[in-house]
Amino acid sequence: VLAMARQSRAINEAVEFAGADVIDIGCGDGAATITLYDDNRPKSIVGIDPAANAIATAAARTGERNIRFAAESAYRLPYPDKAFDIAHLRGVLHHMDHPEQAIAEAARVARTVVVLEPNGYNPVLKIIEKTSRYHIEHGEKSYAPATIDGWLRAAGLTVALRRYSGLVPYFCPDAAARLLQRLEPLVERMPFVRVVACGTYVCVGRHPE
């Protein structure tokens, strides 16, 4: 819970969502989409994911919010160029076979692209990727932040923001999680330490004016 909450704050701090038209690419069951909406009050959100069952679950959660969910591929979005103010990709690139294509499509349909991914410079994450049965079976991976920056630039975007955040891992025992949460603000401010210690990388790409 603490890890998810820090990720939400990191996204909220990275870009101004209030009043914006947003596309949430790889929305899954819609839980993070709804949190994004409730935290920021954008004008609208379109959440897309290739899994029809997840989209059905997401749609059932929408309530009165101005959110629409659709089963679509991130590689071929059925929207015109610059249809959205912001494209939001939270923790989805490392599940994809062709993440650079998803970034290119996001950059096509939105003026600003915000990405949150596991920090590929974190050695602990890399060890887990190589040794965890779950990670191996599900093809879980992380990318170097420089690689993600390169995808944004290749899509014609300028990298306007780069941040490392989060110290509490998923499934962390409560006592350890509370300790790490207290250390988190300090570590996030340490220029070199945060690059290898923080668990997530957040970046924002924008089309040049």
Side-chain angles (χ1 to χ4, degrees), residues 5-194:
R6 182 65 190 103
Q7 289 183 14
S8 294
R9 292 198 308 275
I11 287 284
N12 297 344
E13 293 161 0
V15 69
E16 180 59 63
F17 288 98
D21 290 311
V22 179
I23 180 168
D24 185 13
I25 297 173
C27 64
D29 65 5
T33 314
I34 289 170
T35 297
L36 179 71
Y37 186 94
D38 290 346
D39 285 349
N40 297 281
R41 296 298 172 179
K43 182 179 178 182
S44 68
I45 300 182
V46 172
I48 70 103
D49 196 278
N53 289 343
I55 288 297
T57 299
R61 294 175 163 177
T62 304
E64 299 300 316
R65 302 172 181 88
N66 191 15
I67 304 175
R68 180 172 63 85
F69 292 101
E72 305 286 356
S73 169
Y75 303 139
R76 190 183 293 271
L77 298 170
Y79 307 105
D81 296 356
K82 308 298 185 296
F84 301 93
D85 298 306
I86 302 168
H88 170 262
L89 297 94
R90 174 174 171 170
V92 297
L93 296 181
H94 65 280
H95 294 293
M96 294 180 169
D97 294 328
H98 304 288
E100 72 285 356
Q101 293 182 22
I103 289 288
E105 268 294 87
R108 182 184 66 79
V109 302
R111 296 173 178 83
T112 296
V113 177
V114 57
V115 175
L116 182 147
E117 279 293 304
N119 175 17
Y121 291 153
N122 184 311
V124 175
L125 289 182
K126 285 299 182 185
I127 291 171
I128 293 173
E129 286 173 20
K130 302 301 182 184
T131 60
S132 162
R133 180 176 178 180
Y134 175 87
H135 284 72
I136 294 169
E137 290 179 350
H138 290 80
E140 296 280 332
K141 51 191 174 293
S142 61
Y143 296 105
T147 299
I148 299 172
D149 294 351
W151 293 334
L152 292 171
R153 294 189 182 103
L157 305 178
T158 298
V159 180
L161 178 143
R162 305 174 75 249
R163 287 182 183 166
Y164 298 89
S165 65
L167 203 59
V168 181
Y170 291 123
F171 313 118
C172 185
D174 289 347
R178 287 192 293 270
L179 173 61
L180 291 171
Q181 186 184 37
R182 286 196 292 270
L183 294 173
E184 203 167 61
L186 174 63
V187 172
E188 290 178 355
R189 290 194 298 269
M190 300 174 72
F192 299 105
V193 174
R194 66 190 177 201

